[in-house]
Amino acid sequence: DTGVSQNPRHKITKRGQNVTFRCDPISEHNRLYWYRQTLGQGPEFLTYFQNEAQLEKSRLLSDRFSAERPKGSFSTLEIQRTEQGDSAMYLCASSPSALSYNEQFFGPGTRLTVL
Amino acid sequence: KQEVTQIPAALSVPEGENLVLNCSFTDSAIYNLQWFRQDPGKGLTSLLLIQSSQREQTSGRLNASLDKSSGRSTLYIAASQPGDSATYLCAVTNRDDKIIFGKGTRLHILP
């Protein structure tokens, strides 16, 4: 399968714990995006990378959130000191180049539940 | 600020009927518009992508149109089937490289 993969698919954690999610984009896709989707809402943009450079972060991305893409391939999204409001589906997408009109391909998502 | 609205929020139709889902957006300066399907608890499956210079795209029983000047798109599903039941999301790619999604239309096809 050469699509976007995300791990884990589900994560249940207690409030205050740290969690880390991983996204593996389609091979050689330069752009990688993170989105968050809460129940009954559409996905909302969090941040994106062009290769290893993080180009933009949404105001939704508080200082408890950090994302990296160290070698321009896979990316991680870490949430520190999780809160119940962080419960959501975290989606990753990749696209083949810097051209904004390129289609984004989405992974299956990681569903986070904070108890 | 770009806003994407989808109407209706939910729709139930008998199997075999044709149906139309609507999407509107406030800023016409977009690169493209996409329609996605999302099954409960799952990720997004891209159905159709319409570049800003295009008027429509077709894939099988699906047809999506784009009227950029009026800020509207429709997704037409022909001969609906129970397997079409899902949430359908409309999304536009802005000139600032962000994708803005609507809240989706929950579609239920009655057998």
Side-chain angles (χ1 to χ4, degrees):
Chain A
D1 188 343
T2 57
V4 178
S5 62
Q6 293 186 246
N7 288 288
R9 297 290 304 277
H10 304 276
K11 179 69 177 179
I12 299 174
T13 191
K14 292 182 179 179
R15 188 177 55 187
Q17 297 294 307
N18 299 342
V19 293
T20 300
F21 310 140
R22 174 175 171 133
C23 170
D24 287 88
I26 293 172
S27 179
E28 299 183 358
H29 275 196
N30 295 325
R31 282 210 167 178
L32 186 149
Y33 303 79
W34 285 99
Y35 296 84
R36 181 173 69 185
Q37 184 179 26
T38 54
L39 200 61
Q41 303 295 315
E44 294 175 290
F45 168 83
L46 291 179
T47 187
Y48 80 94
F49 293 83
Q50 172 69 28
N51 299 314
E52 66 274 11
Q54 187 173 17
L55 296 187
E56 187 164 353
K57 295 192 294 185
S58 163
R59 285 173 293 180
L60 294 174
L61 216 63
S62 76
D63 55 7
R64 296 183 298 104
F65 287 71
S66 62
E68 295 182 342
R69 194 182 183 197
K71 297 182 179 179
S73 57
F74 72 91
S75 176
T76 57
L77 178 67
E78 181 182 15
I79 308 175
Q80 296 182 327
R81 305 181 303 281
T82 52
E83 301 173 356
Q84 288 182 325
D86 297 332
S87 296
M89 173 79 87
Y90 290 84
L91 295 162
C92 174
S94 69
S95 68
S97 77
L99 300 174
S100 296
Y101 52 79
N102 277 302
E103 183 177 356
Q104 293 186 20
F105 296 84
F106 282 79
T110 294
R111 179 167 295 282
L112 172 66
T113 302
V114 182
L115 301 175
Chain B
K1 177 186 173 186
Q2 179 74 272
E3 294 184 2
V4 179
T5 303
Q6 292 187 246
I7 295 174
L11 180 65
S12 293
V13 299
E15 180 179 2
E17 284 197 4
N18 304 326
L19 60 99
V20 174
L21 307 181
N22 296 292
C23 172
S24 62
F25 48 96
T26 55
D27 185 352
S28 62
I30 61 172
Y31 280 123
N32 59 49
L33 182 144
Q34 282 184 265
W35 283 93
F36 293 88
R37 170 185 173 137
Q38 187 173 35
D39 293 292
K42 304 295 185 182
L44 306 180
T45 300
S46 179
L47 298 173
L48 291 164
L49 181 148
I50 311 176
Q51 300 292 357
S52 62
S53 58
Q54 297 174 326
R55 299 281 295 186
E56 67 176 344
Q57 284 286 334
T58 298
S59 176
R61 294 182 295 108
L62 306 178
N63 176 276
S65 68
L66 173 63
D67 184 342
K68 201 172 65 164
S69 61
S70 67
R72 295 184 180 185
S73 175
T74 60
L75 179 66
Y76 174 84
I77 303 177
S80 58
Q81 303 170 358
D84 295 331
S85 297
T87 295
Y88 291 80
L89 292 160
C90 170
V92 298
T93 302
N94 281 349
R95 297 284 175 169
D96 62 1
D97 297 334
K98 291 191 185 68
I99 287 187
I100 307 298
F101 285 84
K103 293 183 179 181
T105 294
R106 294 188 310 280
L107 176 64
H108 182 48
I109 304 301
L110 305 168

